[in-house]
């Protein structure tokens, strides 16, 4: 536990098997607390293997330069930001196709993280993000 008695976890392993439900990924945030320059909640994604189709290609993901993780730079630092972005925040809590389409329009172009097997990506889970979907294989 940290100084304010929050539990610090050692990680949650996740194996994704194709076909995934969300082809472009499900945009979400893992914590909705205001951002701070002194603290935050971060995660580390380790990519042990990436999905491949029967031809040994990256299921068309190669078209985006092997982009597996997308992150949007939405910052919510105070109550005014929460009110201003309330529609976006609602869209990240419901698994609804129309809401995901609206989110992509509202958030704009994401930062596209290119990964290879063995890569580690550290990022703030308070930012909207998604893992890009795939048809076959395991990630």
């Amino acid at each position: 536990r940290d100084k304010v008695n929050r539990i610090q976890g050692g990680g949650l392993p996740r194996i994704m098997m194709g076909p995934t439900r969300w082809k472009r990924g499900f945009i979400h945030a893992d914590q909705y607390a205001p951002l701070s320059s002194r603290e935050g909640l971060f995660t580390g994604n380790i990519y042990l293997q990436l999905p491949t189709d029967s031809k040994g290609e990256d299921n068309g993901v190669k078209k985006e330069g092997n982009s597996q993780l997308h992150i949007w730079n939405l910052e919510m630092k105070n109550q005014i930001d929460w009110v201003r972005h309330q529609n976006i925040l609602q869209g990240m809590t419901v698994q609804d196709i129309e809401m995901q389409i609206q989110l992509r329009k509202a958030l704009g172009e994401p930062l596209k993280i290119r990964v290879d097997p063995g890569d580690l990506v550290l990022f703030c889970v308070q930012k909207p993000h998604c893992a890009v979907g795939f048809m076959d294989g395991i990630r």
Side-chain angles (χ1 to χ4, degrees):
R1 295 187 181 263
D2 66 7
K3 294 176 188 173
V4 292
N5 209 28
R6 289 182 300 195
I7 296 173
Q8 303 295 300
L12 173 68
R14 182 180 324 165
I15 297 173
M16 297 176 71
M17 298 161 98
T20 56
R21 179 175 180 194
W22 300 92
K23 180 179 179 181
R24 296 179 67 193
F26 176 71
I27 302 170
H28 67 286
D30 297 323
Q31 186 186 53
Y32 294 96
L35 291 170
S36 166
S37 60
R38 288 176 277 146
E39 63 184 4
L41 184 62
F42 294 83
T43 191
N45 285 3
I46 301 172
Y47 294 86
L48 300 177
Q49 83 181 57
L50 297 176
T52 56
D53 64 18
S54 59
K55 298 175 190 164
E57 297 174 0
D58 289 337
N59 293 306
V61 177
K62 277 275 192 222
K63 294 174 188 169
E64 292 191 31
N66 211 15
S67 172
Q68 300 286 325
L69 178 64
H70 294 178
I71 302 172
W72 286 264
N73 192 27
L74 177 68
E75 294 189 5
M76 295 168 290
K77 295 182 179 179
N78 53 45
Q79 287 292 79
I80 295 169
D81 290 340
W82 279 83
V83 172
R84 187 168 37 134
H85 297 300
Q86 67 184 350
N87 291 339
I88 292 173
L89 294 172
Q90 277 184 317
M92 289 190 288
T93 61
V94 181
Q95 291 202 18
D96 179 76
I97 293 170
E98 289 301 318
M99 289 289 246
Q100 288 290 305
I101 292 169
Q102 290 174 18
L103 273 174
R104 288 184 187 282
K105 287 179 184 174
L107 292 170
E109 199 58 28
L111 170 64
K112 296 177 180 180
I113 309 291
R114 181 189 175 278
V115 297
D116 289 310
D119 284 353
L120 167 67
V121 179
L122 300 173
F123 65 97
C124 177
V125 296
Q126 293 165 270
K127 301 273 187 177
H129 58 278
C130 73
V132 176
F134 53 92
M135 289 303 298
D136 296 313
I138 297 173
R139 174 174 59 214

